[in-house]
Amino acid sequence: MHKPFAVAALLAASCGAQAATDNDLAAIRGQIDEMKKSYEQRIAALEQKLVQAEAQAKSSPPPVPPAPAPVAESRPVAAATPASGFNPEVSLILQGQYKDMKNVAERGITGFVPAGGHDHGSGTIEGINKRGFSLDHTELVFAANIDPYWRGQAIIAALDGQAEVEEAWFQSLGIGQGIGLKAGRFRSGIGYLNEQHPHMWDFADAPLMYQAMFGTEGGYAQDGVQLKWLAPTPVFLEFGAEFGRGANFPGSDRNKNGSGAGALFAHVGDDLGIAHSWRAGLSYLKTSAREREAHFEDTVNGVEALSKFTGDSTTWLADFVWKWAPNGNPKYQNFKFQSEYFLRSEKGDLSCGEAEAGVAVSCQDITSGYRTRQSGWYTQGVYQFTPNWRAGLRYEQLDSGTRDLGENGNYLAVDHYKPKKTTAMIDYSWSEFSRLRLQFAQDKSMQGITDNQVTMQYIMSLGAHGAHKF
């Protein structure tokens, strides 16, 4: 490493040898000696650092090579991780309200079997006759990817001191070919509104149609398996099938093997330019009930009679949604129109007996055929006219249709009625996580009663929360 400097010095000396004096030569030799000493010191320092680094490397354990990625044919092996490695998406939905409405005993929808049963203890059907302030609905949500192939989610819902598992499912992430698999407890894919949780609704309550079909919670949940297929087409085209326990209304829980309910659905949609998009769907739900209870008025004795239905229930649903946003940007302004229609038919046997022990009924121990055919629909529009303000209007109507009770029809009263309801709302959102809503409704779902209702509702979302569906 010293040769270049020595050569340079010699060249410099030779070039000026003829004119250089002895003093000049001595000065040049002194500079060369200083350069040699300086570079020798720097090289010695670097060599010392190298020795120290090599010694430390020998005393430290060798690094652990990364585990090879599993091949497609092998099973993924979960590595042991500390408890702190579990980091799910957690969110809490706070939803409460103040409601001003009439105090109606045994509130329900005239002409339709109450999905929530019949509660003599409180004198009303659970969940739909709460006046004043109430903690309407609270949801605790846990969600995370299990591994590259599966994702899981659980929703714990709390209402008036009672908690229940509203959803708990896992779904596939890597099957491919447009195929999706979900298993556990989930909200069925039938219809449009059914998959949405209450905090996603555009109004403070579910439409009468959903309350009549599935109860005041406004949705049909299934314990079972769901299979979806997204077709590789230019337009959105989705098909789905479900099989499950069928324990929820309009079915009932039964101690049996196999499936108690099945559902099929298909959805199609597309964009029209950059400002418009739409989706339409058709769904089918088939389930069975065993001794599903309902109460009728005994027209002979003037008392209440208890009936029990055993048979099949079939529901058809059609839905349509259209959305508009200028230039395809819904942040500042947008409009959504949606409508759904249902048709339900039931066929089986109806038994009749005492509603209260010791209170005789004229239809005691009579079992006869039972047939019904009922329908209903709603239509609504919601306009967001600023980034924070929205306003909406909903109109809905049901038809109790035909209800043939067979021989029991000679003793039990059957109501023929078309329940109606008109609702207007306006809400303000500080952000996507906080909303305050004011709603006015004229409810004519009970024959002979017009109930003018005012609802003030808040919805607050804490933590990570996934995007809502179309």
Side-chain angles (χ1 to χ4, degrees):
M1 296 181 64
H2 301 162
K3 288 182 179 181
F5 299 101
V7 172
L10 290 174
L11 288 175
S14 63
C15 290
Q18 296 177 353
T21 64
D22 293 340
N23 292 334
D24 292 334
L25 294 173
I28 293 172
R29 291 189 182 97
Q31 291 177 3
I32 294 173
D33 291 339
E34 289 179 2
M35 292 175 64
K36 285 182 179 181
K37 292 179 181 179
S38 175
Y39 277 93
E40 285 175 353
Q41 290 175 356
R42 294 178 62 182
I43 291 171
L46 290 173
E47 289 177 344
Q48 185 177 2
K49 288 184 179 181
L50 178 61
V51 171
Q52 292 175 354
E54 289 176 345
Q56 291 179 357
K58 290 179 180 179
S59 61
S60 302
V64 179
V71 296
E73 292 78 12
S74 64
R75 290 186 176 182
V77 180
T81 58
S84 59
F86 178 61
N87 187 25
E89 304 160 15
V90 180
S91 62
L92 180 66
I93 311 297
L94 304 177
Q95 182 174 315
Q97 67 179 17
Y98 172 84
K99 195 159 191 174
D100 186 294
M101 63 181 181
K102 288 184 177 180
N103 185 23
V104 180
E106 301 186 11
R107 181 182 289 269
I109 302 175
T110 302
F112 290 80
V113 175
H118 192 86
D119 188 351
H120 283 281
S122 63
T124 181
I125 298 172
E126 181 182 357
I128 64 173
N129 198 26
K130 295 177 181 175
R131 304 195 301 161
F133 292 98
S134 67
L135 188 62
D136 183 34
H137 200 85
T138 302
E139 292 182 352
L140 181 60
V141 184
F142 298 91
N145 285 358
I146 299 168
D147 55 28
Y149 313 104
W150 301 98
R151 178 174 177 81
Q153 178 172 292
I155 300 179
I156 311 301
L159 181 65
D160 284 348
Q162 297 181 349
E164 66 175 2
V165 179
E166 190 168 293
E167 289 195 69
W169 48 258
F170 65 92
Q171 68 177 17
S172 63
L173 296 176
I175 295 179
Q177 305 300 319
I179 298 174
L181 176 67
K182 180 187 289 186
R185 176 174 296 178
F186 51 86
R187 294 175 77 94
S188 174
I190 59 176
Y192 175 71
L193 196 66
N194 190 75
E195 282 190 298
Q196 299 181 16
H197 288 263
H199 71 273
M200 300 168 60
W201 298 344
D202 293 318
F203 293 83
D205 48 10
L208 291 177
M209 166 180 159
Y210 273 87
Q211 294 185 38
M213 287 193 302
F214 307 127
T216 57
E217 294 185 0
Y220 183 74
Q222 183 79 287
D223 288 359
V225 178
Q226 180 190 80
L227 188 66
K228 286 184 178 181
W229 179 58
L230 183 62
T233 55
V235 301
F236 171 76
L237 185 59
E238 178 187 64
F239 299 94
E242 298 170 355
F243 303 94
R245 188 175 185 85
N248 295 331
F249 188 90
S252 63
D253 202 2
R254 295 169 295 162
N255 184 18
K256 66 182 292 291
N257 294 320
S259 174
L264 299 171
F265 53 87
H267 300 128
V268 60
D270 200 5
D271 294 330
L272 299 176
I274 62 173
H276 303 270
S277 57
W278 62 275
R279 198 201 83 166
L282 183 64
S283 307
Y284 169 82
L285 173 66
K286 178 67 175 293
T287 186
S288 300
R290 183 177 180 84
E291 296 188 346
R292 189 188 72 197
E293 295 185 357
H295 285 245
F296 290 87
E297 179 188 353
D298 183 347
T299 57
V300 178
N301 294 349
V303 297
E304 196 172 51
L306 173 66
S307 69
K308 296 182 180 181
F309 167 70
T310 300
D312 296 328
S313 178
T314 301
T315 304
W316 288 91
L317 294 96
D319 62 87
F320 177 77
V321 181
W322 169 67
K323 293 185 178 182
W324 166 83
N327 298 317
N329 182 9
K331 181 177 180 180
Y332 301 101
Q333 192 179 23
N334 65 77
F335 177 78
K336 179 172 71 171
F337 170 85
Q338 72 184 60
S339 183
E340 294 189 75
Y341 171 84
F342 89 95
L343 177 64
R344 170 173 289 168
S345 60
E346 295 186 331
K347 180 181 178 181
D349 295 324
L350 188 73
S351 63
C352 184
E354 297 177 350
E356 297 183 25
V359 179
V361 293
S362 58
C363 59
Q364 183 67 41
D365 298 330
I366 295 178
T367 299
S368 61
Y370 177 80
R371 291 174 178 266
T372 64
R373 186 179 179 87
Q374 301 179 309
S375 62
W377 58 274
Y378 77 90
T379 185
Q380 68 182 51
V382 177
Y383 177 50
Q384 178 181 308
F385 48 92
T386 74
N388 305 102
W389 287 96
R390 302 190 315 159
L393 184 65
R394 181 174 73 192
Y395 180 78
E396 46 197 318
Q397 181 173 309
L398 307 180
D399 188 350
S400 62
T402 59
R403 302 177 72 191
D404 183 0
L405 276 61
E407 184 181 352
N408 278 311
N410 299 324
Y411 310 99
L412 304 178
V414 178
D415 298 313
H416 297 285
Y417 185 59
K418 292 184 177 181
K420 304 177 182 66
K421 188 176 181 180
T422 304
T423 307
M425 77 84 186
I426 185 168
D427 60 32
Y428 180 84
S429 300
W430 287 268
S431 69
E432 59 183 310
F433 303 103
S434 57
R435 174 171 291 169
L436 185 65
R437 175 180 291 136
L438 178 63
Q439 178 174 297
F440 301 90
Q442 186 178 79
D443 188 350
K444 295 183 178 180
S445 61
M446 299 160 288
Q447 191 169 15
I449 299 176
T450 298
D451 189 9
N452 295 316
Q453 305 170 352
V454 180
T455 305
M456 180 70 75
Q457 182 189 46
Y458 65 83
I459 303 173
M460 303 291 172
S461 302
L462 291 72
H465 191 69
H468 295 164
K469 295 186 177 182
F470 178 84

